[in-house]
């Protein structure tokens, strides 16, 4: 409440002075307000050592500094983000960004005006109109295959000179090269890959990995802050933030994500059904099929086409399957030999030894499949037999 001190005729109030507070101090003061002073004993006369003087505005009037400051603090955490490509993944991200208070705009090839309205997202069927809104961030959620075309068709000249471009493509070197090639130097570039999707992240993003590479962020304080604010959207949901180069990402993703999707899609071709006696392991396989098949084939094809490590992984998978079959058939031959030759088989020496369990050499050492068993065969044979 506003009061005028009789001694100083200065505008004063009953609380501390809040001007020019550091945000941390501000948070501290607002969350741990000092309790109101105890009323003195009613019988004793009120005696003050110093003249009673109050020095800050307490009620949050719309015009006062405190409320303006608090508005600025909460506002500064939010961004104006334009999502380009409002399909499965674009809408999934929009949900959380809107909840966090960001202003979200969207544009896509298809008409998603109804879905956008449902999510509290401003819909722009025209890319010129979207760019003229001057979003701080353009978040590309297009398919891997269409990103080149979509990026080239955006009216970049309508954007602010300083705009942050972010992508979420599941292949990173390709996205980085595309951005560097197409975007003017004034634009900042952040390449990211949330390692989760509408299925795996439907309940929470907590503990899910988020990969990013600050490919080109200007030194300017506001540019640095804008990038951090964007990353914070994922950090504050509990994501495990992993900074790495796009090349490192692609190597790890081919060894993990591409293998997962490939195995899921192989199993999908088997048309697996639930049985009355599902084991836990089988349940997990059914989940894997469901998870991977809910992604578009275009996405999977993009993982293969635009990650140079994917082909090697596909070959390793092939080799591993062949190696496993060899082991099985090797054991089978062993049993047959015993049946055919009985104890005489012992004199066959090394042929009698059960084939050793063979494993592929670890990723990245460029070696062919170890022969493992007694016969040594060239790599090409083991891959095609
Ligand atoms: P997607 O099939 O990879 O991409 C669908 C999006 O691409 C839609 O917005 C679609 O627009 C747009 N698109 C496709 N072809 C187009 C074309 N010729 N011209 C213009 N736009 C075109 O499926 P998604 O799951 O939504 O993935 C989007 C991106 O997120 C991909 O780059 C993917 O790698 C990445 N990502 C996905 C996941 C996931 O779990 N799904 C996780 C991490 C990252 P319209 O719908 O308007 O046609």
């Amino acid at each position: 409440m506003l009061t005028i001190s009789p001694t100083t005729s200065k505008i004063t109030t009953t609380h501390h002075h809040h001007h020019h507070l550091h945000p941390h101090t501000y948070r501290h003061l607002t969350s741990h307000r000092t309790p109101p002073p105890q009323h003195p004993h009613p019988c004793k006369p009120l005696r003050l050592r110093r003249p009673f003087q109050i020095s800050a505005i307490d009620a949050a009037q719309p015009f006062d500094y405190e409320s303006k400051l608090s508005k600025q603090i909460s506002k500064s955490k939010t961004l104006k983000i334009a999502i380009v490509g409002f399909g499965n993944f674009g809408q999934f991200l929009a949900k959380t960004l809107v909840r966090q208070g960001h202003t979200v705009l969207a544009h896509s090839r298809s008409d998603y005006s109804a879905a956008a309205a449902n999510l509290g997202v401003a819909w722009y069927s025209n890319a010129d109109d979207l760019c003229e809104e001057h979003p701080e961030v353009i978040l590309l959620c297009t398919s891997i295959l269409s990103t080149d075309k979509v990026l080239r068709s955006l009216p970049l000249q309508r954007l602010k000179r300083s705009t942050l471009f972010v992508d979420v493509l599941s292949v990173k070197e390709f996205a980085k090269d595309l951005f560097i090639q197409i975007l003017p130097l004034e634009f900042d570039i952040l390449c990211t890959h949330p390692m989760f999707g509408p299925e795996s992240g439907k309940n929470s993003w907590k503990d899910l990995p988020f990969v990013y590479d600050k490919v080109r962020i200007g030194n300017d304080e506001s540019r640095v802050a804008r990038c951090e604010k964007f990353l914070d959207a994922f950090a504050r949901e509990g994501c495990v933030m992993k900074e790495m180069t796009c090349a490192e990402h692609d190597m790890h993703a081919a060894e993990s994500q591409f293998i997962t999707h490939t195995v899921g899609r192989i199993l999908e071709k088997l048309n697996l059904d639930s049985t009355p006696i599902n084991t836990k392991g089988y349940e997990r396989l059914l989940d894997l099929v469901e998870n991977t098949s809910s992604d578009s084939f275009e996405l999977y094809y993009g993982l293969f086409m635009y990650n140079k490590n994917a082909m090697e992984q596909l070959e390793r998978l092939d080799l591993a399957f062949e190696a496993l079959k060899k082991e099985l058939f090797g054991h089978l031959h062993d049993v047959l030999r015993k049946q055919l030759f009985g104890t005489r088989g012992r004199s066959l020496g090394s042929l009698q030894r059960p084939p050793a369990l063979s494993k592929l050499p670890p990723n990245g050492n460029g070696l062919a499949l170890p022969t493992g068993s007694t016969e040594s065969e060239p790599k090409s044979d083991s891959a095609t037999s």
Side-chain angles (χ1 to χ4, degrees):
M1 183 196 290
L2 291 176
T3 50
I4 312 271
S5 155
T7 49
T8 58
S9 23
K10 216 166 96 187
I11 296 183
T12 57
T13 74
T14 50
H15 278 276
H16 299 283
H17 207 282
H18 281 197
H19 290 218
H20 312 298
L21 285 180
H22 186 276
H24 290 128
T25 325
Y26 176 80
R27 212 179 306 134
H28 173 76
L29 281 176
T30 47
S31 54
H32 305 290
R33 284 192 187 280
T34 42
Q38 291 294 308
H39 201 278
H41 195 280
C43 309
K44 288 187 181 160
L46 182 72
R47 290 173 88 187
L48 294 168
R49 270 195 212 140
R50 279 180 286 144
F52 186 57
Q53 189 176 335
I54 310 145
S55 57
I57 298 166
D58 79 339
Q61 302 292 331
F63 52 83
D64 81 23
Y65 191 83
E66 181 179 352
S67 72
K68 271 192 204 149
L69 184 67
S70 105
K71 226 184 232 163
Q72 250 174 26
I73 289 169
S74 61
K75 200 178 154 208
S76 69
K77 281 192 178 158
T78 65
L79 289 164
K80 190 170 183 178
I81 303 171
I83 298 180
V84 174
F86 205 53
N88 197 20
F89 198 66
Q91 293 180 36
F92 167 68
L93 288 185
K95 223 175 285 171
T96 299
L97 294 173
V98 168
R99 172 168 56 70
Q100 291 180 352
H102 299 286
T103 304
V104 182
L105 294 62
H107 165 73
S108 207
R109 172 181 61 169
S110 314
D111 178 15
Y112 290 113
S113 49
N118 268 338
L119 292 167
V121 168
W123 174 252
Y124 290 82
S125 52
N126 182 296
D128 289 85
D129 293 343
L130 178 94
C131 293
E132 277 171 9
E133 287 297 321
H134 291 166
E136 294 161 278
V137 180
I138 296 273
L139 177 56
L140 270 179
C141 296
T142 38
S143 70
I144 298 167
L145 271 58
S146 70
T147 299
D148 187 350
K149 191 194 88 176
V150 172
L151 196 55
R152 286 180 200 278
S153 71
L154 281 181
L156 301 179
Q157 74 285 357
R158 297 196 190 282
L159 291 165
K160 274 196 294 190
R161 265 170 68 82
S162 163
T163 302
L164 169 64
F165 269 76
V166 184
D167 83 289
V168 293
L169 268 58
S170 309
V171 288
K172 297 270 50 82
E173 273 201 286
F174 169 70
K176 175 185 162 184
D177 292 346
L178 215 55
F179 272 174
I180 289 178
Q181 203 187 326
I182 298 175
L183 295 177
L185 280 170
E186 307 88 63
F187 291 151
D188 285 353
I189 300 172
L190 175 68
C191 287
T192 80
H193 185 202
M195 305 298 299
F196 50 90
E199 273 301 312
S200 51
K202 70 177 158 210
N203 297 323
S204 149
W205 297 358
K206 190 160 168 9
D207 299 330
L208 302 176
F210 179 87
V211 177
Y212 64 97
D213 185 0
K214 293 176 185 171
V215 172
R216 188 172 74 203
I217 306 294
N219 290 328
D220 195 87
E221 205 181 303
S222 65
R223 286 172 180 250
V224 173
R226 179 176 59 190
C227 176
E228 292 307 323
K229 256 184 254 172
F230 182 83
L231 291 173
D232 185 58
F234 295 86
R236 76 165 101 154
E237 294 298 316
C239 287
V240 180
M241 306 299 284
K242 297 263 184 208
E243 186 167 15
M244 66 175 72
T245 65
C246 290
E248 278 175 302
H249 164 277
D250 283 2
M251 195 187 68
H252 293 312
E255 289 168 9
S256 57
Q257 188 189 28
F258 179 68
I259 291 279
T260 310
H261 278 248
T262 303
V263 172
R265 284 186 184 269
I266 292 171
L267 294 175
E268 191 189 356
K269 294 208 177 294
L270 293 177
N271 271 326
L272 300 179
D273 267 334
S274 188
T275 74
I277 52 165
N278 290 355
T279 58
K280 289 268 175 231
Y282 187 63
E283 292 278 346
R284 268 186 235 128
L285 285 191
L286 292 177
D287 284 348
L288 175 67
V289 173
E290 199 182 308
N291 268 342
T292 43
S293 61
S294 67
D295 283 329
S296 68
F297 183 80
E298 190 172 337
L299 198 165
Y300 174 62
Y301 182 60
L303 295 182
F304 173 68
M305 268 298 282
Y306 293 98
N307 187 337
K308 64 175 194 243
N309 310 293
M311 181 58 100
E312 186 196 335
Q313 294 305 323
L314 205 58
E315 274 170 5
R316 282 173 59 82
L317 210 56
D318 222 11
L319 291 172
F321 189 48
E322 289 307 322
L324 198 62
K325 280 198 290 187
K326 227 182 212 176
E327 273 167 29
L328 287 176
F329 299 152
H331 279 281
L332 189 64
H333 287 160
D334 197 38
V335 171
L336 282 177
R337 271 186 215 114
K338 265 190 192 147
Q339 279 180 4
L340 284 173
F341 305 115
T343 47
R344 266 192 316 122
R346 282 205 186 106
S347 60
L348 293 170
S350 65
L351 273 178
Q352 199 62 22
R353 264 190 272 133
L357 282 177
S358 58
K359 276 198 179 137
L360 289 181
N363 262 308
N365 73 2
L367 292 176
L369 175 72
T371 49
S373 63
T374 49
E375 308 99 71
S376 64
E377 287 180 68
K379 180 189 171 185
S380 56
D381 282 354
S382 57
T384 51
S385 61

